[in-house]
Amino acid sequence: MENLEKAISEIKKALPGMKLLENEPLSAHSSFRIGGPARAIAVPADVSSLSKICCILKEHELAPFMLGNGSNILFPDEGLAELFIVSTEKLQNLFLLPDGAVYAEAGVSLARLAGFAQQNGLKGLEFASGIPGTVGGGLRMNAGAYGGELKDVVESVVTYYLPEQALYELTNEQCDFAYRNSRFQRIGGFVLVSAVFRLEQGDGEEIAAKMRELNEKRREKQPLDLPSAGSAFKRPEGHYAAALIDQCGLKGFRVGGAQVSEKHAGFVVNVENATSHDVYDLMIQVRNTVYQKTGVPMEPEIVILPPDYKLEDHGPAVPRHRITFNAAGAEES
Ligand SMILES: Cc1cc2nc3c(=O)[nH]c(=O)nc-3n(C[C@H](O)[C@H](O)[C@H](O)COP(=O)(O)OP(=O)(O)OC[C@H]3O[C@@H](n4cnc5c(N)ncnc54)[C@H](O)[C@@H]3O)c2cc1C
């Protein structure tokens, strides 16, 4: 705590013009509309200010918590004594490279990225146009929908690697993308800065029509009128989380102000001033009931904070890869 206060005061001195929100409610930065105050939220104007913040934090043995649109996170009601860095206000560069690939910074929304590709007659990102996240958040979890995933279109990613305080460009293979997972999720220390997307030439009108069709499906099936963080659980191998939850009679199941959506059982929605504890308790009960009745373990897709709160404590362990980083790149061990 003392270290954080010292770091914040040094950051203010080093970057006097930078927007720094103190004791800001995290609920304002979360699509769930849940979360107490963050000690500070920094909005760096560019990559060099971002690295400066990271550098000061590292000197105090701290790391920042990156935040995109907050559309995949559950923050605690008690708030967090952390420094968050928000990408969505400033890290917004988006342009075509001379070879026709698309360059996008971490704070660019996936909707804007997909729209930009469509306007330039580039296909491959139609699936992403309705995902309410950013490039940074989307890459970390390899966001996907309707058969498409970011891993299919990412050529390379630039990341600031905190332990070495250096920028690295990783190829698609080095990002080690998997279903709703990536190297950036399995090991800490990666601040995603930008990415290059390689897309195919297509017809602008057809691309726009595909995007409209997928977004219409989304509106039909998903509870977009209520605050949520998207699918609460990842798809267990060979199953659909929503179907399992429905099959166990949990559609509409409620804890406090949190509810398993009546429209789509894969979503947990905030129907009435839900607290983070309502959502934790609901997710634990859903997970345990599904496991008891079907034998299928489900892993949360939502990032649940604080990180030491693990739904795995309440069910069978989910195997994890251990990965270490060396000079040649991040390697599994
Ligand atoms: C209504 C609704 C529908 C959704 N539909 C889908 C869907 O179809 N498919 C899908 O995959 N997801 C879906 N989601 C979930 C969510 O939109 C995606 O996971 C999205 O990619 C998260 O991006 P974000 O910017 O909001 O990330 P955040 O929620 O802000 O952050 C998520 C994680 O990424 C990390 N992060 C964010 N930015 C960076 C960065 N620059 N560097 C390093 N780490 C970073 C955060 O620290 C956090 O751990 C949906 C959510 C909602 C609310």
Side-chain angles (χ1 to χ4, degrees):
M1 194 62 183
E2 201 185 307
N3 279 8
L4 180 61
E5 292 310 319
K6 280 188 194 153
I8 290 173
S9 138
E10 276 177 40
I11 289 166
K12 282 185 191 166
K13 270 190 214 137
L15 298 162
M18 184 187 68
K19 185 166 159 188
L20 187 81
L21 306 166
E22 297 190 57
N23 305 311
E24 166 82 354
L26 284 161
S27 54
H29 299 265
S30 139
S31 58
F32 245 142
R33 300 284 168 258
I34 296 174
R39 174 60 192 90
I41 299 185
V43 188
D46 49 32
V47 177
S48 116
S49 320
L50 188 149
S51 353
K52 182 88 203 160
I53 299 172
C54 295
C55 209
I56 295 173
L57 286 171
K58 175 135 197 278
E59 278 163 19
H60 292 277
E61 297 174 356
L62 296 166
F65 190 99
M66 289 304 294
L67 197 51
N69 272 341
S71 66
N72 199 38
I73 304 188
L74 176 63
F75 295 116
D77 306 319
E78 296 78 11
L80 285 165
E82 297 252 7
L83 185 132
F84 289 80
I85 296 182
V86 168
S87 64
T88 44
E89 278 189 42
K90 302 283 187 186
L91 299 175
Q92 286 296 334
N93 281 312
L94 172 65
F95 50 81
L96 277 183
L97 292 167
D99 67 355
V102 175
Y103 169 92
E105 282 185 350
V108 170
S109 74
L110 293 172
R112 183 171 161 231
L113 173 69
F116 179 81
Q118 181 275 327
Q119 282 153 21
N120 286 284
L122 294 170
K123 68 174 181 187
L125 273 166
E126 298 85 319
F127 75 88
S129 71
I131 302 178
T134 58
V135 166
L139 289 169
R140 182 183 180 276
M141 70 102 63
N142 182 25
Y146 304 112
E149 292 177 296
L150 286 185
K151 83 168 173 41
D152 303 335
V153 286
V154 169
E155 183 169 274
S156 60
V157 173
V158 170
T159 166
Y160 184 84
Y161 185 58
L162 292 164
E164 295 176 16
Q165 300 192 41
L167 285 168
Y168 281 87
E169 186 176 23
L170 271 66
T171 61
N172 180 307
E173 290 68 33
Q174 287 171 319
C175 298
D176 201 11
F177 291 118
Y179 168 67
R180 298 297 176 270
N181 212 326
S182 71
R183 177 147 290 175
F184 315 120
Q185 200 175 123
R186 287 189 212 108
I187 35 177
F190 288 107
V191 171
L192 301 168
V193 173
S194 65
V196 171
F197 296 89
R198 177 72 53 192
L199 302 163
E200 277 176 46
Q201 286 296 330
D203 176 81
E205 264 317 301
E206 279 174 23
I207 297 167
K210 185 77 193 164
M211 280 162 51
R212 280 196 298 275
E213 179 201 320
L214 295 181
N215 287 332
E216 188 46 43
K217 263 195 200 169
R218 209 176 257 281
R219 275 190 293 275
E220 249 173 56
K221 300 255 189 285
Q222 298 182 0
L224 302 184
D225 53 330
L226 288 168
S228 79
S231 299
F233 296 96
K234 292 186 184 183
R235 199 172 60 218
E237 225 178 308
H239 300 271
Y240 288 101
L244 290 170
I245 296 167
D246 199 1
Q247 184 188 321
C248 293
L250 292 166
K251 219 178 202 179
F253 173 65
R254 193 166 161 171
V255 173
Q259 188 180 37
V260 174
S261 164
E262 288 172 337
K263 192 168 180 183
H264 187 308
F267 280 58
V268 172
V269 286
N270 176 358
V271 280
E272 202 184 355
N273 304 318
T275 64
S276 58
H277 293 275
D278 292 341
V279 180
Y280 300 145
D281 291 352
L282 180 124
M283 287 182 68
I284 288 164
Q285 292 194 49
V286 166
R287 191 178 198 273
N288 288 352
T289 305
V290 168
Y291 187 62
Q292 279 154 16
K293 290 197 172 176
T294 69
V296 180
M298 293 196 304
E299 188 188 350
E301 181 163 320
I302 298 172
V303 176
I304 297 177
L305 295 179
D308 55 355
Y309 193 99
K310 289 197 175 59
L311 288 191
E312 288 89 84
D313 294 345
H314 304 269
V318 178
R320 300 226 180 276
H321 295 284
R322 277 193 54 220
I323 296 180
T324 53
F325 201 93
N326 60 34
E331 295 300 335
E332 269 182 44
S333 61

